[in-house]
Amino acid sequence: MSLANKTTLATIKHDLEGYLGKKISLRANRGRKKTMERTGVLEQIYPSHFLVLVSEENYQRRLSFSYADILTETVELTVYSNDDKKIPFSVS
C-alpha cells in the first residue's frame, strides 16, 4: 500500500471520528447487482474499520466496514445534521 493511500485512509478515519454517535445512512455494494441501504448510528471507530448500529424491526445489529470501502466507493455514507438534513460524506 502506498503512502498516499495510508494517509487517505487515516484522513477518512479522522473525518469519521467527528460523526461518532450521529445518525448516518449508508449504501453498500454487495456485488452482483446487490446493494444494501440502511440507516443507523455510527457507533465505534477502530484502527482499520468502523461499526454502524442498525435498528431494524425487532432487533439491532452491528455492521462493520473498512475505511477502504469508503475509499473505493463500495460504501457511500450520508450523515444527518441535527435538523435531519442529509450531508453526503466525502473524503477531504
Side-chain angles (χ1 to χ4, degrees), residues 9-81:
L9 294 175
T11 302
I12 293 170
K13 178 184 177 218
H14 178 71
D15 291 349
L16 278 178
E17 286 173 348
Y19 298 114
L20 265 174
K22 301 277 186 175
K23 180 179 173 183
I24 63 170
S25 174
L26 61 92
R27 181 182 178 129
N29 180 1
R30 295 293 189 185
R32 297 194 57 111
K33 298 182 184 179
K34 296 177 189 173
T35 57
M36 174 182 66
E37 294 183 18
R38 299 285 188 271
T39 301
V41 175
L42 183 59
E43 186 179 44
Q44 297 247 327
I45 293 181
Y46 294 102
S48 60
H49 66 281
F50 60 96
L51 295 179
V52 178
L53 179 64
V54 176
S55 297
E56 296 185 353
E57 291 181 22
N58 294 328
Y59 62 95
Q60 293 181 335
R61 66 186 227 189
R62 287 173 179 83
L63 303 174
S64 174
F65 300 98
S66 71
Y67 305 115
D69 291 335
I70 295 174
L71 184 63
T72 60
E73 298 178 357
T74 303
V75 173
E76 298 171 10
L77 294 179
T78 304
V79 181
Y80 288 83
S81 65

